[in-house]
Amino acid sequence: METQVAQKKERRNWFRKSSVPTVIGGPCSAETEEQVYETCRAIAQSGKIDILRAGIWKPRTRPGTFEGIGIKGLPWMRKMKEETGLPVTVEVAKAGHVEACLEFDIDILWIGARTSVNPFAVQEIAEAVRGVDIPILVKNPINPDLALWLGAIERFERVGIEKIGAIHRGFSNTSEKVYRNRPQWQLAIDFMTKRPELPMICDPSHICGNRHMLQAVSQKAVDLNYDGLMIESHRDPDNAWSDAKQQITPKVLHDMITDLVARHNHEDNDSTQKSLDFLRQDINEIDTDLINLLGQRMKIARQIGEYKKKNNVTILQQKRWEEIMKKSQEHGQAHGLSEEFISKLLRSIHDESIDQQEKVMNA
Ligand code: PEP
Ligand code: MN
């Protein structure tokens, strides 16, 4: 048992070297030779970054945007590796990308969120690294599906990859207002609970989609004992060819990492606290959603008020109200919510709706 635990820790240690998280930094995309060199040199000189990153092939949502410089960028990354002594990592999305990266001595490959969702694509990449000793980092799929994320990891384990890690970059959600990709921390902790031996890296850049929240999200990852951070940095963020809003200069990145408060790792006795923290974060996000939804509901109520005013209809429509109550109680029951609770909740919402309609009708 004890040797098993020790072995598990060791597998995680291939990525994390000390009590501070390992930091991967570099531009979202390699754009030009000068941009890669200037950015990577400044990052390396800061002394705070352990691994250099750049996207060479960019899986973009819509065509017509910059889709990456392609294979031409790989010698630039190799040059930066030789010059700075730092390992370099690149995103691969198909077998051809893997072959090109191996040819140019790329040290670590990562799988993007738009690729992790597709088992055929992941399998193709896995076949391309069969028998090769290269570390692989797997980003969470864009949708919040833990099995899909774990499944992608397993595909690499099955072809013999030994150094594997996960990157948490958040999940796409159309009702999300705060983040570019909602973190849903609980999903990442579920991952860590299932695979505690694998390093977990946080990608605050793609979670936030902006610069001002990067520090807080990075600190949260440190507080939750993540093993690493992947943060996008560009010599001239405003003019970046992709993800301009979330990139920061190497200097800002350096200061951000310096300002992170290191936490001691008492992982075993801390786990209750850690789980609570994840759950509370989810609760906060759900509360925000609830309030947003209530705001939308009241807006519609006011529109109905306008209509009723024009047509001289009474505010209270008894039959409609009874229908809403009945349907909601049935729905609530299916989620383990008591009739009493649903009744109190709906009465309160209905009261506010009536107030708002009344204001509109008697304005
Ligand atoms: C990236 O790291 O630049 C990237 C494309 O990320 P993701 O796959 O998380 O969208
Ligand atoms: Mn990016």
Side-chain angles (χ1 to χ4, degrees):
M1 184 67 190
E2 246 167 50
T3 42
Q4 238 179 11
V5 172
Q7 268 173 1
K8 281 185 169 185
K9 286 229 164 88
E10 212 168 292
R11 286 200 54 201
R12 188 169 169 169
N13 287 350
W14 76 261
F15 185 78
R16 184 179 191 156
K17 303 280 183 257
S18 68
S19 62
V20 285
T22 299
V23 185
I24 306 172
C28 175
S29 302
E31 298 164 4
T32 65
E33 207 170 345
E34 295 69 39
Q35 169 254 1
V36 167
Y37 295 169
E38 203 181 306
T39 306
C40 290
R41 281 173 185 148
I43 287 175
Q45 271 160 20
S46 81
K48 294 272 173 188
I49 303 321
D50 308 282
I51 300 168
L52 295 170
R53 67 152 274 160
I56 296 291
W57 302 277
K58 302 302 294 180
R60 305 306 297 276
T61 305
R62 304 185 66 179
T65 46
F66 176 59
E67 295 196 316
I69 202 71
I71 200 158
K72 195 171 132 188
L74 288 175
W76 308 341
M77 292 308 284
R78 180 165 63 184
K79 184 174 157 85
M80 285 301 98
K81 163 188 168 147
E82 287 163 358
E83 195 184 300
T84 65
L86 296 177
V88 292
T89 181
V90 161
E91 173 178 348
V92 290
K94 44 191 191 182
H97 297 166
V98 174
E99 284 148 26
C101 283
L102 295 177
E103 195 185 320
F104 285 94
D105 307 317
I106 301 304
D107 300 282
I108 301 171
L109 306 178
W110 94 77
I111 312 299
R114 289 162 197 76
T115 306
S116 309
V117 287
N118 182 346
F120 286 129
V122 174
Q123 191 60 39
E124 179 187 313
I125 299 165
E127 295 303 340
V129 292
R130 191 186 281 277
V132 181
D133 179 21
I134 189 163
I136 309 269
L137 303 174
V138 181
K139 286 202 177 195
N140 67 253
I142 45 178
N143 53 324
D145 185 337
L146 181 61
L148 203 51
W149 195 2
L150 292 167
I153 300 265
E154 287 157 14
R155 288 179 194 277
F156 289 103
E157 289 174 324
R158 285 186 176 209
V159 296
I161 296 294
E162 288 185 351
K163 295 181 180 129
I164 301 185
I167 304 177
H168 174 210
R169 53 77 82 192
F171 303 90
S172 194
N173 190 310
T174 48
S175 64
E176 177 55 53
K177 300 271 190 309
V178 178
Y179 299 99
R180 177 177 174 191
N181 290 293
R182 184 177 293 183
Q184 299 192 242
W185 298 96
Q186 185 56 46
L187 236 135
I189 200 167
D190 286 346
F191 184 107
M192 293 190 239
T193 307
K194 283 216 153 61
R195 301 299 308 268
E197 78 282 17
L198 298 182
M200 176 61 79
I201 299 153
C202 182
D203 171 350
S205 301
H206 293 89
I207 287 178
C208 298
N210 62 47
R211 293 170 198 151
H212 66 273
M213 283 166 21
L214 288 177
Q215 180 86 42
V217 169
S218 303
Q219 183 63 55
K220 184 165 180 76
V222 172
D223 294 350
L224 295 169
N225 197 27
Y226 277 50
D227 302 285
L229 295 168
M230 181 191 249
I231 301 174
E232 289 184 344
S233 175
H234 190 287
R235 63 168 178 181
D236 180 11
D238 285 337
N239 292 305
W241 297 2
S242 61
D243 288 350
K245 281 195 209 138
Q246 71 199 29
Q247 299 205 63
I248 50 179
T249 61
K251 164 86 174 88
V252 173
L253 176 61
H254 167 272
D255 294 348
M256 228 185 81
I257 301 301
T258 310
D259 288 345
L260 286 176
V261 182
R263 306 289 186 197
H264 296 292
N265 173 18
H266 298 295
E267 205 177 358
D268 298 331
N269 26 12
D270 241 16
S271 65
T272 316
Q273 199 48 44
K274 199 163 137 185
S275 307
L276 279 178
D277 206 359
F278 276 107
L279 291 169
R280 285 181 184 137
Q281 176 76 22
D282 278 2
I283 294 257
N284 291 347
E285 283 163 17
I286 290 170
D287 286 350
T288 307
D289 284 353
L290 283 174
I291 291 169
N292 287 339
L293 281 173
L294 285 172
Q296 284 171 26
R297 192 188 194 283
M298 293 307 157
K299 198 170 149 198
I300 295 171
R302 290 194 296 274
Q303 285 167 3
I304 293 177
E306 300 278 5
Y307 176 86
K308 287 178 177 170
K309 181 181 180 178
K310 245 199 236 147
N311 298 281
N312 262 330
V313 182
T314 58
I315 289 185
L316 183 63
Q317 305 261 296
Q318 194 62 38
K319 208 170 138 234
R320 162 96 181 122
W321 165 235
E322 280 166 13
E323 254 172 43
I324 292 178
M325 183 63 90
K326 187 165 170 279
K327 231 176 76 187
S328 302
Q329 282 185 335
E330 283 166 9
H331 187 191
Q333 215 172 18
H335 288 280
L337 305 171
S338 72
E339 263 187 34
E340 193 199 1
F341 170 66
I342 294 290
S343 165
K344 273 200 262 181
L345 178 71
L346 276 189
R347 269 175 216 286
S348 164
I349 293 173
H350 193 237
D351 271 354
E352 176 68 12
S353 258
I354 289 178
D355 274 359
Q356 298 225 5
Q357 284 192 13
E358 212 170 30
K359 280 197 193 113
V360 169
M361 292 176 82
N362 297 313

